[in-house]
Amino acid sequence: MGNRLSRIYTRTGDDGSTGLGDGSRVGKDSPRVTAYGTVDELNSTIGMVLAADGVPEAVREILTQVQHDLFDLGGELCIPGMATVQDSDIARLESTLDELNEPLPPLKEFILPGGGMAAACGHLARTVCRRAEREVVALARSEDIRAQPQRYLNRLSDLLFVICRVLARASGHGEVLWQHERRRKPKPATD
């Protein structure tokens, strides 16, 4: 990057516009900026998971690779026509997901966000990932976007869910199960 970031502020965005990677300018509220901004937010929430205590080294390595992938994905969204996310990246997520999920017990109930700080941060990352995916879908309705970014985010949200299960177990807190039976059906009124 050289001296590209020697000055942090430029004042060029004071009018509500921002520069894309190809040099064009768009509104800061454009679907493209919203999509790559949420990918950046997702990367930050994964950083929160990594900052939590007790994250197993294998999970740490997976999430660090994901952070690099997300930086690439954000670049692809920031530079129209760029292609960085590959089918092999998606296949790697699927393989990792299968490997982490295999030893976990089958789910019989929904899981509430929680299970220790790392798992709770992971659930936040998972929900931000789903939002990023929705925003990429919205962007693809109005602009030409390859399918790989959307597919990557879809797989990543699944992987983050499984990682949350792993983290909840590793922390000793365990998973927080939704108690759907806590609300008893109201009895019919009688006279």
Side-chain angles (χ1 to χ4, degrees), residues 14-175:
D14 290 352
D15 65 353
S17 69
T18 191
L20 296 179
D22 67 356
S24 63
R25 295 198 68 78
V26 297
K28 290 184 177 184
D29 59 349
S30 78
R32 184 173 291 276
V33 175
T34 299
Y36 73 71
T38 304
V39 169
D40 186 35
E41 182 183 351
L42 170 58
N43 210 335
S44 296
T45 59
I46 290 173
M48 291 173 57
V49 176
L50 291 169
D53 292 332
V55 176
E57 188 57 34
V59 171
R60 187 171 296 285
E61 289 174 14
I62 292 164
L63 291 178
T64 299
Q65 177 61 53
V66 165
Q67 284 192 303
H68 287 282
D69 292 347
L70 289 174
F71 209 83
D72 293 339
L73 195 154
E76 179 168 337
L77 295 173
C78 181
I79 304 171
M82 185 174 192
T84 57
V85 177
Q86 302 302 319
D87 290 335
S88 59
D89 298 317
I90 298 161
R92 188 189 73 246
L93 291 183
E94 290 172 351
S95 173
T96 302
L97 200 160
D98 290 342
E99 182 181 313
L100 290 177
N101 192 52
E102 194 275 323
L104 295 174
L107 284 175
K108 296 181 180 177
E109 300 291 342
F110 287 105
I111 296 174
L112 298 179
M117 183 56 75
C121 290
H123 281 290
L124 179 60
R126 175 185 56 78
T127 60
V128 173
C129 187
R130 285 290 188 202
R131 180 162 36 96
E133 180 187 2
R134 291 190 303 270
E135 290 170 357
V136 169
V137 168
L139 174 61
R141 292 193 195 288
S142 62
E143 297 190 40
D144 188 26
I145 301 295
R146 295 179 330 119
Q148 284 83 353
Q150 179 182 331
R151 289 178 49 223
Y152 182 93
L153 292 168
N154 190 18
R155 269 349 151 273
L156 179 57
S157 64
D158 293 337
L159 175 60
L160 290 170
F161 176 77
V162 170
I163 285 175
C164 290
R165 296 191 69 200
V166 170
L167 293 173
R169 290 174 141 46
S171 71
H173 290 281
E175 296 169 322

